Amino acid sequence: MSIRRKLTILMLFLSLVPTLIVGVLAYISINSELTSKTVDQLNSTASKQEQKINALIQNKREEVSKLTNRFDLQTALSNYINTNGQWGGDDIYSILFNRKVANSDLQSITLVNLEGKVVATTTSGNSVTHLDPKEYSIADNKEGSLTVEKGQQDGIAKIRVVSRVSVNKKPAGYLSVMFRADDIIAAVQDYTGLGSTGETIVAAQDSNGAVALFPLRFDTDAALSRNLNSLSLFDKTNGVYKDAIDYRDKQVMISTKTLASTDWKLATKIDMDEALASIVQLRNTIALVVIASSVVIAGIILYVTRLFTRPILQIAQASQKIGYGNFSTRVSVKNHDEIGELAGSINAMGANLSVLVSNIESQRHRLEAILNSTTDSILAIDKNGLIVLANNAGTKLTGYSEETLAGRHIDEVFKFTRDLQPYSINYDVTGVNTYPGLQYQNADGTTHYVKVIVAKITEVSEQSAAQVIVTIHDETKSRELENMKLDFVSMAAHELRTPLAAIRGYLELMTYKNGSAVSDGAADYLQQALRSASELGGLISNLLSVSRIERGALTFNPQKLDLGQEIKQAIEDVSVDESGKSNNVSVKFEGLDQGCFVQADQLALHEVLNNLINNAIKYNKKDGQVIITLSQNGDNYRVSIKDSGIGIPRQALGNLFTKFYRVRGGLNSGSTGTGLGLFIAKSIIERHKGSIYASSQEGVGSEFTFELPMFDKCLAEDSNQQARRERGWTTQNIAR
Ligand code: ADP
């Protein structure tokens, strides 16, 4: 969500919520104020009507009371009783009639005796001589009964008051007085200040609850009297009830009062809708005000928010553009506040970034130029082996463009071989791994001789694209040169061999056939010339071997050989005399001497043995000794040639098997040699799946050992023990 939206929502919330709260509170307080005022008004109207009705009833009772207490009426009644109805009746009638005439409210007055027989009545045409007892019975605890009834002929509601008449304090009869109820009806219908739905009901209790005594305002509705019970008038104590539902199913506020000296209930009620009608208008007004003010506030907020956020948006857009590399973008906010400061910082950042990026760019160009000017192919790969970068030499070597290379797996592009066999490189390295002597055939079919160096980039994060640098050094050209050199050496050696053989032949002829013909001195010279020719032959043969090794043209004729026999033969070859010495050095053979078969080329094996034994003699001391031991080491046969010679300095041991290496200085100085013998021996042994190594102690002696896989198990089982003992006699012992 954008900051503008957030700010707008926040400000709307902060400003509109209080407006709404104030509106709702105002509505609630006005509502309750109005309700309480209506309650007061209802109460006071109800009280006034109660007083009026009580006063009217009181008047009627007093009227009856006055009549019963009249002396002339009591005297006439006494006469009537004493004369058994002969006298007094007319007097009574005259008194009652005069009274009726004097009071227009009176409808009729009837006097009955204690038995219920009518003594006199103002009701014209009334033929009833006996009245129903209920019409004149007086409740025990009341002065006189008060009932409401409808006129049989006119249907008008009337009030009947019955009172006892006593003569000389003795009950003598009952006076039943019928009043018009107009005044009470008028009082009930006076709804002063209660509006159009206000009304007062006077009800009596019947077995179902309430029954209306006096006409209701809505008395045209036939259902009203039936539904009057919904008001539960007689269940309620005197008071005001706001949640009543009236007989028209309207929510009403109702005030109930019990009328004194009657069992009537007076209910004054008003519709809640009408009572609170003004509040509805007020509510609408408040809502209107709240809505109008909200709209205005929202408008102001939107404007203000826009005013505040516009510069922030400008800054955000500018930073986004700068982020996309458009460093010339500037923010044009001129505010002299924090936002203005921020805009200034963004502008400065853009300028600085521009300088920084152009620096980086120029550095990148420089690096690219360096990378592309190297003749080695350099490729960067990610942790999954996918190529992420390749320099010009890389694209040239592979024949692909940089775009084609990018994203491809390095194994898919570079399929290396070694000795014509597929060779896979481990690119998941921790340090630097070098793979020399590989061939690579590129897209157009050209074979390249390469050296591959795989190096993990140090201090690189896991997320970085380039994780490993692969450098491919193309050795094809140097290899071609080397081959040319080897070809030349090979050719020269071949060419030298023929004349040398002729020279040696003639020298031998001269020495042996015509030996007696030459003088002693000349014979010595001839011997010397023969030795030199022989050395030269050795050198030529070594050079040829090396050239074959280097060009991979060394071929073997492997056969099953008895190693012990071959060693003995080699010892003989070094011209050991009868006392087992050669050049005053004794040569001894120990250990297993037969049945140790290996698979090897006989000539090559002899070349190795001759070389090692010759060296042991050549670099020995005067009267020194050479011990050759054959033993078993696991699945290998081990041959060690140990001498008591001049030894080899520790630092020279690592280079002994390198081409042309010779130990210089020290005790070795003066000896002749080419430094090729050990190199050839190592190449031959390794081609036979064996190993060769040396140990030495300067001034004490050296031990050269080689091992070859056994052709078969050694026959001499019991010689195992001896072999183990021989194994104990190891290079380490000598080295120490
Ligand atoms: P060359 O004997 O023709 O010099 P080699 O390859 O046979 O060449 O030997 C390399 C060098 O190793 C020798 O020049 C010599 O210095 C040293 N070396 C070889 N064998 C022995 C040995 N048994 N004792 C001491 N030095 C030796």
Side-chain angles (χ1 to χ4, degrees):
M1 198 189 274
S2 70
I3 187 166
R4 174 178 288 180
R5 198 163 292 178
K6 279 184 197 161
L7 205 63
T8 309
I9 290 172
L10 181 72
M11 287 182 73
L12 281 174
F13 182 79
L14 289 179
S15 54
L16 293 186
V17 166
T19 314
L20 277 173
I21 290 173
V22 167
V24 170
L25 284 181
Y27 176 76
I28 290 171
S29 76
I30 292 169
N31 192 21
S32 80
E33 178 71 11
L34 204 69
T35 307
S36 87
K37 271 197 179 141
T38 312
V39 168
D40 290 348
Q41 194 190 351
L42 206 60
N43 257 337
S44 89
T45 308
S47 296
K48 276 183 205 153
Q49 286 188 317
E50 180 194 13
Q51 282 166 13
K52 266 192 227 163
I53 294 166
N54 276 340
L56 291 169
I57 289 170
Q58 192 54 35
N59 280 346
K60 288 177 177 51
R61 285 192 192 285
E62 278 171 11
E63 178 70 39
V64 176
S65 176
K66 265 190 223 157
L67 204 57
T68 53
N69 289 334
R70 276 176 74 134
F71 182 69
D72 52 352
L73 182 73
Q74 288 181 3
T75 308
L77 184 62
S78 173
N79 255 347
Y80 183 82
I81 293 167
N82 290 338
T83 60
N84 210 11
Q86 293 292 312
W87 302 99
D90 291 339
D91 292 341
I92 291 170
Y93 177 78
S94 151
I95 293 164
L96 296 182
F97 186 75
N98 287 340
R99 191 60 216 142
K100 184 192 163 186
V101 171
N103 188 345
S104 60
D105 265 1
L106 286 174
Q107 289 273 295
S108 67
I109 306 170
T110 304
L111 182 69
V112 294
N113 65 11
L114 289 175
E115 287 80 39
K117 192 181 171 192
V118 175
V119 176
T121 181
T122 62
T123 311
S124 58
N126 187 354
S127 58
V128 178
T129 52
H130 279 85
L131 293 177
D132 191 318
K134 80 173 181 191
E135 291 183 37
Y136 59 84
S137 66
I138 300 168
D140 291 343
N141 54 352
K142 289 188 180 165
E143 273 187 25
S145 73
L146 191 76
T147 54
V148 180
E149 57 194 60
K150 288 207 170 168
Q152 284 179 341
Q153 279 130 33
D154 55 13
I156 298 167
K158 289 158 190 168
I159 291 175
R160 179 193 292 278
V161 180
V162 178
S163 187
R164 192 186 287 131
V165 185
S166 300
V167 177
N168 295 329
K169 298 193 177 166
K170 276 188 186 164
Y174 297 103
L175 201 61
S176 169
V177 185
M178 187 87 87
F179 292 95
R180 294 176 71 92
D182 299 354
D183 51 352
I184 294 180
I185 288 169
V188 167
Q189 282 180 339
D190 183 8
Y191 326 110
T192 321
L194 284 184
S196 58
T197 61
E199 75 175 304
T200 302
I201 305 155
V202 176
Q205 192 165 23
D206 75 348
S207 57
N208 293 323
V211 61
L213 290 182
F214 291 102
L216 304 170
R217 179 168 187 166
F218 303 96
D219 61 357
T220 48
D221 189 340
L224 294 190
S225 52
R226 202 168 59 238
N227 290 336
L228 190 62
N229 287 324
S230 66
L231 290 174
S232 317
L233 285 180
F234 288 91
D235 298 344
K236 291 184 165 87
T237 52
N238 292 348
V240 175
Y241 301 91
K242 291 176 215 161
D243 51 359
I245 303 294
D246 81 349
Y247 45 82
R248 290 167 300 128
D249 290 335
K250 293 269 165 79
Q251 196 191 341
V252 293
M253 194 185 286
I254 183 162
S255 163
T256 63
K257 284 188 185 292
T258 308
L259 287 170
S261 76
T262 65
D263 57 354
W264 299 352
K265 272 273 188 190
L266 176 107
T268 305
K269 69 176 188 69
I270 182 172
D271 281 10
M272 288 300 276
D273 281 351
E274 188 185 338
L276 302 177
S278 56
I279 206 77
V280 174
Q281 208 177 351
L282 192 79
R283 185 189 61 201
N284 292 344
T285 312
I286 289 174
L288 207 70
V289 169
V290 167
I291 289 168
S293 59
S294 300
V295 168
V296 172
I297 289 169
I300 293 170
I301 285 169
L302 284 178
Y303 176 75
V304 172
T305 317
R306 207 167 272 268
L307 202 71
F308 273 105
T309 54
R310 193 185 295 132
I312 295 174
L313 274 181
Q314 279 178 1
I315 291 169
Q317 281 162 359
S319 342
Q320 210 168 31
K321 280 185 190 165
I322 291 172
Y324 284 128
N326 191 351
F327 302 118
S328 59
T329 308
R330 295 288 177 270
V331 192
S332 60
V333 175
K334 298 275 184 285
N335 296 16
H336 297 291
D337 54 11
E338 288 86 345
I339 290 175
E341 267 178 43
L342 183 62
S345 307
I346 294 287
N347 288 342
M349 185 182 80
N352 290 342
L353 272 179
S354 173
V355 174
L356 205 68
V357 168
S358 75
N359 282 350
I360 291 171
E361 268 297 292
S362 64
Q363 267 185 20
R364 195 176 70 84
H365 283 310
R366 234 180 23 232
L367 279 178
E368 217 169 67
I370 293 170
L371 213 58
N372 285 332
S373 63
T374 59
T375 50
D376 283 352
S377 305
I378 298 172
L379 299 110
I381 57 172
D382 69 8
K383 57 184 172 195
N384 300 317
L386 300 178
I387 298 170
V388 291
L389 187 138
N391 70 347
N392 282 352
T395 57
K396 211 166 138 197
L397 176 71
T398 55
Y400 293 118
S401 69
E402 197 182 344
E403 291 74 38
T404 326
L405 277 180
R408 297 182 71 173
H409 199 279
I410 189 139
D411 279 341
E412 188 194 333
V413 179
F414 291 98
K415 290 186 182 8
F416 295 106
T417 54
R418 178 180 274 174
D419 299 332
L420 302 175
Q421 296 301 313
Y423 191 89
S424 63
I425 285 181
N426 176 23
Y427 295 104
D428 188 14
V429 288
T430 41
V432 180
N433 279 4
T434 307
Y435 301 85
L438 301 182
Q439 288 90 49
Y440 162 65
Q441 202 172 38
N442 73 1
D444 57 23
T446 321
T447 302
H448 293 262
Y449 293 89
V450 295
K451 180 165 86 181
V452 179
I453 300 156
V454 181
K456 169 105 181 145
I457 305 176
T458 50
E459 291 171 23
V460 69
S461 77
E462 264 291 297
Q463 284 72 39
S464 175
Q467 296 280 335
V468 173
I469 295 291
V470 180
T471 309
I472 302 169
H473 180 63
D474 194 345
E475 296 175 327
T476 314
K477 282 222 161 62
S478 58
R479 198 177 166 104
E480 276 168 6
L481 275 174
E482 183 75 7
N483 278 346
M484 278 167 68
K485 211 166 69 189
L486 289 171
D487 284 349
F488 172 76
V489 170
S490 164
M491 194 252 318
H494 271 292
E495 292 305 313
L496 282 172
R497 237 178 16 178
T498 322
L500 186 67
I503 293 169
R504 281 178 71 177
Y506 287 126
L507 282 174
E508 271 171 12
L509 274 177
M510 284 168 77
T511 312
Y512 299 111
K513 285 199 174 164
N514 303 326
S516 53
V518 293
S519 65
D520 284 352
D524 275 355
Y525 293 142
L526 278 174
Q527 280 297 331
Q528 201 118 21
L530 204 55
R531 249 198 318 276
S532 297
S534 165
E535 272 174 19
L536 196 59
L539 172 64
I540 290 168
S541 148
N542 273 352
L543 281 174
L544 274 173
S545 295
V546 169
S547 112
R548 282 198 206 100
I549 290 166
E550 297 276 271
R551 286 183 298 150
L554 201 62
T555 51
F556 295 117
N557 178 24
Q559 52 184 299
K560 188 174 179 180
L561 297 176
D562 188 334
L563 202 49
Q565 297 308 313
E566 299 306 320
I567 294 170
K568 283 179 193 160
Q569 182 60 50
I571 294 171
E572 273 175 32
D573 286 351
V574 292
S575 347
V576 184
D577 57 22
E578 297 83 46
S579 58
K581 288 192 174 185
S582 172
N583 283 348
N584 283 332
V585 174
S586 70
V587 181
K588 271 201 282 178
F589 174 48
E590 290 183 350
L592 310 171
D593 65 348
Q594 61 175 342
C596 300
F597 293 105
V598 292
Q599 179 143 12
D601 180 288
Q602 197 173 28
L603 282 177
L605 184 63
H606 273 265
E607 196 166 353
V608 174
L609 285 168
N610 286 344
N611 225 312
L612 296 177
I613 298 169
N614 274 329
N615 278 352
I617 295 167
K618 188 160 76 174
Y619 301 108
N620 218 316
K621 291 177 198 158
K622 193 167 178 288
D623 300 326
Q625 57 169 353
V626 175
I627 301 170
I628 302 163
T629 319
L630 171 59
S631 61
Q632 189 188 345
N633 180 28
D635 288 342
N636 292 334
Y637 287 119
R638 177 194 280 164
V639 179
S640 86
I641 296 107
K642 187 181 173 190
D643 64 56
S644 56
I646 55 173
I648 303 158
R650 183 175 289 271
Q651 65 273 16
L653 277 174
N655 300 319
L656 283 182
F657 296 95
T658 326
K659 205 167 40 176
F660 299 117
Y661 181 81
R662 302 201 72 229
V663 179
R664 291 179 203 287
L667 299 168
N668 192 29
S669 56
S671 71
T672 57
T674 56
L676 292 173
L678 289 180
F679 170 75
I680 294 167
K682 183 175 163 53
S683 303
I684 291 171
I685 292 296
E686 283 180 353
R687 284 286 303 275
H688 281 79
K689 299 189 175 62
S691 59
I692 183 165
Y693 43 93
S695 66
S696 180
Q697 198 176 3
E698 225 179 336
V700 177
S702 312
E703 183 177 15
F704 284 79
T705 311
F706 69 87
E707 292 191 20
L708 286 174
M710 43 170 43
F711 186 89
D712 221 348
K713 279 239 161 180
C714 188
L715 293 175
E717 195 62 44
D718 58 347
S719 61
N720 276 351
Q721 211 173 343
Q722 188 191 354
R724 243 175 271 126
R725 202 185 60 237
E726 292 301 328
R727 233 175 287 136
W729 195 77
T730 58
T731 53
Q732 297 160 6
N733 294 343
I734 288 187
R736 270 184 219 119

